[in-house]
Amino acid sequence: MASKVTPISGFQEWLPAQRIAEQYVLDTIREVFELHGFASINTRAVEPVDRLAGQGEDADKEIYGVRRLAAEAGEPTELGLHFDLTVPFSRYVVENAGKLTFPFRRYQIQPAWRGERPQRGRYREFIQADVDIVDTGELPFHYEVELPLVIADVFSRLPVGEYVILVNNRKICEGFYRGLGIEDVVQTLRTIDKLDKIGADGVTKVLGEQGLSAEQIRQCLALAQISSTDTSFADEVRALGVSHPLLDEGLEQLTAIMAVAGELAPGVLRAELKIARGLDYYTGTVYETLLLRQPEYGSICSGGRYDALASDGKRTYPGVGISIGVSRLLGLLIGEEGLTASRETPVAVLVAVNDEAQRTDSMRIATALRTRGINTLVAPKAAKFGKQIQFADRRGIPFVWFPGAGEAGQDQVKDIRSGEQVDADPGSWSPDQQDLRPTLVSPDSVG
């Protein structure tokens, strides 16, 4: 008896044309990462649970434990699927430190898993595309300036529409809170980070329950409301009258980022002092990226500076990284807005088969075209040419090759869109560049 096929929520599966669009996005990301000097690595899917746990308020609840179905009752779950790529990367750095050249620039494009309730833009299994730079002992601040420029380069090549990279420095928040006399800085950061979710009244209530005074709460909210596309945010913070050395350091660093971005990527970055990121390992600059047409969709690219995540007890490897939520982004572009590819197959040419006795001739032509980098398929049946053309048309294949169809017995190729059919030699003919590979077909709303 056949079992019923039941969809599982929280997992993306695309149709062929959509998958080509996804691959186009992934290839573009990879090419830009390599253009900026990052080397690719791949890490295992699982990490020890005790390493994954405790990295943020919700991290422990989201970890998928991995164990054998035949495990004995009470056997502990020691391994978990990684919920991001930063934690496994930090372990990778420590394990391979003697074989890596620092500063080490890596990119990583892999799935991750989170055991949260699937909802719009949030999945149980999702692809992330990360770039990180780590060094030994000290990591120069200028890398924190560089990473958002890498993302700006990626998005300039993709149909994402208008976007903004929000940037803050946790030293500003921590220094400000310490200057106010707040003791539980981490909990305060976590609460302020929920401002968009629960609103100012909700944050006020939670902070009050955490023991903050009315004046401390007022100042925390005043800081969180500061936003600017230039360096003017620093004066606004100082005008609040709070002082602390860590606050001064954070203001100096964020000012430097905004100054460089204003020159090299004008209009892309915005200082937004309410963002802090929920993961506890961030220690400096933090980033979140919003699509301006749908800011409520949430961040599609985020990250930040971390100083103590990678350490072997003797040496620390500070780093800074930023991650594109590929599945989250494509859930909107492909799943909701209809981004797709110009055809459902990478094939540019279908070689017709005159009759089965001559199939080898068609295969020989296909081999010659493939040798020259032209994606080619041989027709599955020696049917009437009309049916073979129909086979190509249904799949979006633009050209059909007819062996020996010319008056002198030469091959011919037909553009089935225009109907033009010309003599062709498999050793020299090539399609136009725009027909060689499928292209993205962007929804009108993105432009």
Side-chain angles (χ1 to χ4, degrees):
M1 180 177 177
S3 60
K4 182 180 179 181
V5 176
T6 304
I8 302 176
S9 63
F11 296 83
Q12 285 182 338
E13 289 184 333
W14 302 121
L15 294 172
Q18 296 172 322
R19 171 59 176 159
I20 289 174
E22 179 186 49
Q23 287 180 306
Y24 180 98
V25 170
L26 291 171
D27 287 345
T28 300
I29 293 170
R30 175 184 55 78
E31 289 168 5
V32 174
F33 285 174
E34 292 183 356
L35 190 64
H36 285 260
F38 292 88
S40 176
I41 69 164
N42 201 69
T43 58
R44 66 198 185 204
V46 297
E47 297 291 333
V49 169
D50 59 1
R51 179 161 183 81
L52 294 171
Q55 298 295 347
E57 185 176 24
D58 298 321
D60 296 7
K61 295 184 293 184
E62 295 178 352
I63 298 169
Y64 275 117
V66 178
R67 59 183 300 179
R68 297 177 301 116
L69 288 176
E72 296 181 5
E75 181 177 321
T77 301
E78 298 179 348
L79 298 177
L81 295 173
H82 57 235
F83 57 81
D84 72 358
L85 301 182
T86 304
V87 174
F89 171 59
S90 66
R91 184 267 310 159
Y92 176 95
V93 168
V94 172
E95 286 189 7
N96 296 282
K99 303 172 186 176
L100 301 176
T101 302
F102 293 96
F104 179 49
R105 304 168 67 93
R106 88 79 161 90
Y107 79 86
Q108 193 170 346
I109 303 176
Q110 282 185 238
W113 298 267
R114 289 185 183 175
E116 60 182 356
R117 182 175 63 85
Q119 52 188 297
R120 185 181 185 228
R122 303 186 73 88
Y123 307 94
R124 292 170 174 170
E125 178 184 66
F126 51 94
I127 298 172
Q128 291 190 180
D130 288 21
V131 280
D132 284 75
I133 305 170
V134 296
D135 211 338
T136 56
E138 298 288 336
L139 180 74
F141 165 72
H142 63 78
Y143 292 125
E144 296 175 51
V145 183
E146 178 182 346
L147 285 192
L149 301 180
V150 176
I151 298 304
D153 195 358
V154 170
F155 286 169
S156 71
R157 302 163 191 252
L158 295 174
V160 299
E162 294 186 4
Y163 66 95
V164 61
I165 300 176
L166 308 179
V167 59
N168 192 11
N169 193 303
R170 283 179 70 146
K171 293 177 183 178
I172 295 175
C173 301
E174 292 184 26
F176 191 86
Y177 301 157
R178 294 187 190 282
L180 289 173
I182 297 173
E183 295 182 1
D184 194 344
V185 170
V186 172
Q187 192 59 51
T188 304
L189 274 170
R190 289 176 175 174
T191 303
I192 292 294
D193 198 45
K194 297 178 180 178
L195 189 59
D196 286 340
K197 295 181 179 179
I198 64 176
D201 291 343
V203 167
T204 297
K205 179 181 179 182
V206 175
L207 291 178
E209 293 170 350
Q210 293 169 1
L212 273 65
S213 69
E215 175 61 16
Q216 288 173 326
I217 294 173
R218 185 189 70 79
Q219 287 280 58
C220 287
L221 290 174
L223 178 71
Q225 291 168 358
I226 294 175
S227 173
S228 72
T229 56
D230 53 28
T231 60
S232 62
F233 69 89
D235 291 335
E236 294 183 57
V237 174
R238 294 189 178 99
L240 296 177
V242 178
S243 61
H244 191 277
L246 192 61
L247 171 61
D248 294 337
E249 184 180 348
L251 288 173
E252 180 181 353
Q253 292 181 351
L254 187 54
T255 298
I257 289 179
M258 295 303 297
V260 173
E263 176 184 351
L264 300 181
V268 170
L269 267 67
R270 185 170 79 215
E272 192 79 26
L273 302 195
K274 67 182 176 183
I275 68 167
R277 304 295 301 144
L279 295 169
D280 292 343
Y281 52 66
Y282 291 124
T283 56
T285 304
V286 288
Y287 318 95
E288 289 189 354
T289 307
L290 300 179
L291 299 176
L292 293 182
R293 68 183 181 282
Q294 291 207 38
E296 71 282 359
Y297 192 68
S299 180
I300 55 159
C301 177
S302 57
R305 167 85 179 230
Y306 49 92
D307 283 293
L309 186 59
S311 176
D312 59 9
K314 297 179 181 179
R315 180 176 295 182
T316 300
Y317 303 89
V320 60
I322 194 163
S323 172
I324 301 173
V326 178
S327 296
R328 183 172 177 81
L329 176 61
L330 295 184
L332 179 66
L333 296 184
I334 295 177
E336 297 186 22
E337 296 180 342
L339 180 70
T340 186
S342 57
R343 55 184 187 256
E344 67 178 45
T345 173
V347 174
V349 181
L350 177 75
V351 181
V353 178
N354 294 331
D355 60 60
E356 289 301 333
Q358 295 178 315
R359 177 171 289 274
T360 302
D361 294 337
S362 297
M363 295 174 66
R364 190 177 298 112
I365 292 167
T367 298
L369 292 171
R370 291 171 186 149
T371 299
R372 299 175 45 246
I374 301 171
N375 296 334
T376 307
L377 178 66
V378 177
K381 294 181 180 179
K384 293 181 179 180
F385 284 158
K387 289 190 174 296
Q388 296 190 58
I389 291 173
Q390 188 179 59
F391 177 92
D393 185 49
R394 286 177 175 172
R395 290 156 179 80
I397 300 172
F399 298 97
V400 177
W401 193 286
F402 297 105
E407 292 182 2
Q410 69 273 38
D411 293 350
Q412 292 190 327
V413 64
K414 182 184 185 73
D415 184 333
I416 65 173
R417 300 161 299 181
S418 66
E420 182 183 13
Q421 185 166 326
V422 297
D423 294 344
D425 181 342
S428 58
W429 178 88
S430 292
D432 291 339
Q433 190 64 34
Q434 65 266 25
D435 292 326
L436 190 59
R437 301 282 186 273
T439 56
L440 287 185
V441 177
S442 302
D444 294 339
S445 61
V446 175

